[in-house]
């Protein structure tokens, strides 16, 4: 008899290595692990499941979990907008996500994006100001990387500011005036700090000419239709977009107007995915009162690291051997038709990418 019935997204690495013998130190047998495509996990699949491990494409809610035996849900992601946490709490289902797991990958994506834009548009990064919206795990890391290179950053994060965080924050109006704006907020539809369409037509119109907007948070943080309209009306602004409103749908007209377009892979470093699964392994162990017998460092690849030189000129060319963001853009643009159905495939077959910045 298996000890635990586990259903896991097919795109999550190391689930077998970490979960199949979980509990075996207590004399229990192998657990049963069923791998499924995240977008198609159904209530039927979970009838006998104890543990459900998902990524961001599985909507976890009453519709999925009612009348199943699931007692633990883990999401190997930073974002949790696909999970109805209130429903889980009300039904005594333990929930855990993986805060910060792929923050480094996103920070490296943003750094490379800015370096690419600066090279293409002949901008001197020592004279550029970057506005960061959201200074949590990802935003803070972006700030650290940019400031270490001497790039000026301004930060907007009203929830942190209101909580008494001592860092210096600026208003959203001030962020709009920056040369580069990058979004690192969770997706929230309601409440005092809702981020739905936080970057709207008015915001984009207020940005200076020759500026850059990066969205690697969640698609609907940027009003995609407004972004298209603003560009179509002739505004001189560049977009680098990793996330899309209504994924796996992609607004192809907007995509045609982007400098870089990628299929929600900003955080897709190998290490980020491994950390995501590992954080769930830790959470399940804690839930069951078990020790973490497998150390994380035995699972992570040893990647070659980029040398911080402090030199801003030629930055993109020095980063490119470590992360080629143009290749990611090309993969997405090669999809000429029916991108909705090919979006998940692009993500599933994403080439291995390793983190190149050493400890910050
Ligand atoms: N593209 C990707 O591959 C990828 C990878 C990782 C995370 N993400 C997205 O990035 C988001 C941020 O990740 P994180 O780890 O930094 O999350 P986090 O929770 O650590 O930080 C989010 C920050 O945003 C702030 N915030 C909330 N509402 C705000 C508002 N209205 N205006 C300004 N700031 C606001 C919060 O106070 C917090 O400091 C995630 O929720 C996820 O949606 C995307
Ligand atoms: O929130 C996150 O952690 C990221 O958006 C994550 O990389 C999304 O990847 P997915 O779970 O869809 O594979």
């Amino acid at each position: 008899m298996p000890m635990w019935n586990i259903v896991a997204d097919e795109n999550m690495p190391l689930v077998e290595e970490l979960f199949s013998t979980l509990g075996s130190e207590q004399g229990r047998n192998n657990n049963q692990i069923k791998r499924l495509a995240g977008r198609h996990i159904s209530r039927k699949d979970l009838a006998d499941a104890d543990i459900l491990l998902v990524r961001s494409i599985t909507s976890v809610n009453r519709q999925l979990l009612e009348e199943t035996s699931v007692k633990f849900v883990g999401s190997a992601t930073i974002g949790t907008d696909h999970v109805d946490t209130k429903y889980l709490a009300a039904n005594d289902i333990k929930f855990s996500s993986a805060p910060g797991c792929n923050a480094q990958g996103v920070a490296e994506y943003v750094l490379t994006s800015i370096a690419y834009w600066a090279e293409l548009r002949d901008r001197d990064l020592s004279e550029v100001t970057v506005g960061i919206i959201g200074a949590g795990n990802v935003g803070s890391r972006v700030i650290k990387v940019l400031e270490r290179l001497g790039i000026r950053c301004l930060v907007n994060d009203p929830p942190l500011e209101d909580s008494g965080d001592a860092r210096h924050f600026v208003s959203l109006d001030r962020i709009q005036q920056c040369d580069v704006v990058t979004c690192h907020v969770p997706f929230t539809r309601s409440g005092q700090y809702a981020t739905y369409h936080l970057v709207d037509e008015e915001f984009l119109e207020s940005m200076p000419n020759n500026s850059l907007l990066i969205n690697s948070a969640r698609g609907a943080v940027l009003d995609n239709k407004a972004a298209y309209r603003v560009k179509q009306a002739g505004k001189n602004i560049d977009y680098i977009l990793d996330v899309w409103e209504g994924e796996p749908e992609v607004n192809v007209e907007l995509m045609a107007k982007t400098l870089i377009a990628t299929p929600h892979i900003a955080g897709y470093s190998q290490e980020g995915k491994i950390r995501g699964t590992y954080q769930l392994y830790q959470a399940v162990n804690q839930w069951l009162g078990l020790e973490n017998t497998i150390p994380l460092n035995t699972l992570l690849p040893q990647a070659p690291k980029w040398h911080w030189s402090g030199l801003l000129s030629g930055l993109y060319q020095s980063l490119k051997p470590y992360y080629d963001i143009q290749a990611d853009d090309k993969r997405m643009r090669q999809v000429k038709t029916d991108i909705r159905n090919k979006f998940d495939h692009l993500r599933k077959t994403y080439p291995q990418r390793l983190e190149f910045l050493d400890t910050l």
Side-chain angles (χ1 to χ4, degrees):
M1 264 289 277
M3 193 52 214
W4 305 107
N5 275 325
I6 300 173
V7 171
D9 182 301
E10 63 183 7
N11 292 338
M12 206 182 287
L14 298 177
V15 173
E16 285 72 18
E17 289 82 345
L18 288 167
F19 289 88
S20 60
T21 56
L22 189 121
S24 60
E25 61 271 32
Q26 297 183 339
R28 290 162 177 175
N29 275 326
N30 276 358
N31 302 313
Q32 180 175 300
I33 298 174
K34 191 159 62 174
R35 297 286 220 147
L36 296 171
R39 232 176 265 285
H40 303 300
I41 297 176
S42 70
R43 191 190 292 190
K44 223 169 134 192
D45 299 318
L46 302 177
D48 303 324
D50 303 298
I51 296 173
L52 170 64
L53 305 176
V54 297
R55 298 194 57 88
S56 76
I57 57 172
T58 305
S59 297
V60 181
N61 48 28
R62 174 189 295 276
Q63 206 187 336
L64 182 70
L65 295 177
E66 201 168 41
E67 290 165 19
T68 72
S69 49
V70 172
K71 299 167 203 69
F72 183 102
V73 173
S75 180
T77 57
I78 291 184
T80 55
D81 47 290
H82 54 296
V83 180
D84 183 344
T85 49
K86 278 194 190 137
Y87 173 79
L88 297 190
N91 288 277
D92 217 13
I93 300 170
K94 174 84 181 148
F95 174 65
S96 191
S97 62
C101 63
N102 53 46
Q104 172 115 351
V106 182
E108 294 181 359
Y109 177 96
V110 172
L111 170 67
T112 311
S113 295
I114 295 172
Y116 173 66
W117 167 81
E119 179 177 287
L120 195 76
R121 302 299 186 209
D122 198 18
R123 299 293 293 262
D124 177 353
L125 283 174
S126 65
E127 290 175 3
V128 155
T129 300
V130 178
I132 290 119
I133 311 179
N137 279 303
V138 176
S140 299
R141 209 166 285 225
V142 169
I143 297 164
K144 254 188 184 167
V145 171
L146 297 181
E147 287 187 339
R148 184 161 168 188
L149 288 164
I151 299 171
R152 180 169 183 245
C153 295
L154 293 179
V155 186
N156 170 265
D157 192 321
L160 281 184
E161 190 173 12
D162 293 351
S163 75
D165 189 301
R167 284 176 283 182
H168 176 68
F169 297 102
V170 302
S171 68
L172 206 56
D173 286 353
R174 179 65 191 89
I175 292 286
Q176 285 169 16
Q177 301 312 314
C178 292
D179 305 291
V180 177
V181 173
T182 182
C183 306
H184 301 293
V185 291
F187 176 58
T188 46
R189 262 189 196 279
S190 56
Q192 191 186 353
Y193 306 113
T195 61
Y196 175 75
H197 288 186
L198 186 68
V199 179
D200 58 9
E201 192 148 352
E202 198 187 326
F203 184 111
L204 295 166
E205 289 289 9
S206 306
M207 285 181 72
N209 277 322
N210 307 312
S211 55
L212 167 68
L213 174 83
I214 305 170
N215 187 15
S216 63
R218 282 291 182 266
V221 169
L222 168 70
D223 181 341
N224 281 212
K225 284 188 179 150
Y228 171 75
R229 277 198 305 272
V230 165
K231 197 71 185 159
Q232 181 68 1
K235 172 97 187 178
N236 189 356
I237 182 174
D238 283 318
Y239 299 139
I240 294 187
L241 302 183
D242 179 56
V243 287
W244 306 86
E245 202 168 349
E247 288 173 18
E249 203 64 74
V250 172
N251 179 335
V252 287
E253 289 179 322
L254 173 61
M255 185 175 130
K257 300 217 172 280
T258 55
L259 191 61
I260 292 279
T262 51
H264 196 153
I265 50 73
Y268 263 23
S269 67
Q270 200 58 27
E271 294 91 332
K273 288 185 187 175
I274 292 171
R275 278 189 223 101
T277 311
Y278 192 82
Q279 284 175 235
L280 300 188
Y281 162 75
Q282 290 176 305
V284 171
N285 275 334
Q286 191 179 29
W287 175 60
L288 295 172
L290 301 173
E291 293 291 313
N292 302 318
T293 52
I294 306 173
L296 175 61
N297 60 12
T298 60
L299 305 171
L300 290 173
Q302 295 299 313
K305 299 296 176 196
W306 177 72
H307 297 288
W308 294 89
S309 71
L311 275 182
L312 288 178
S313 67
L315 181 63
Y316 180 60
Q317 291 308 321
S318 82
L319 296 172
K320 200 173 173 183
Y322 295 87
Y323 174 39
D324 185 353
I325 198 168
Q326 285 172 279
D328 280 356
D329 173 75
K330 197 171 162 197
R331 277 184 86 238
M332 180 136 168
R333 282 184 215 276
Q334 270 168 354
V335 178
K336 296 287 179 218
T337 55
D338 195 17
I339 198 156
R340 184 184 208 289
N341 285 315
K342 294 171 185 157
F343 193 79
D344 287 347
H345 182 72
L346 280 173
R347 306 185 76 219
K348 187 178 175 180
T349 55
Y350 186 65
Q352 172 167 278
R353 183 173 124 213
L354 298 174
E355 292 174 0
F356 58 83
L357 293 179
D358 59 15
T359 321
L360 300 168

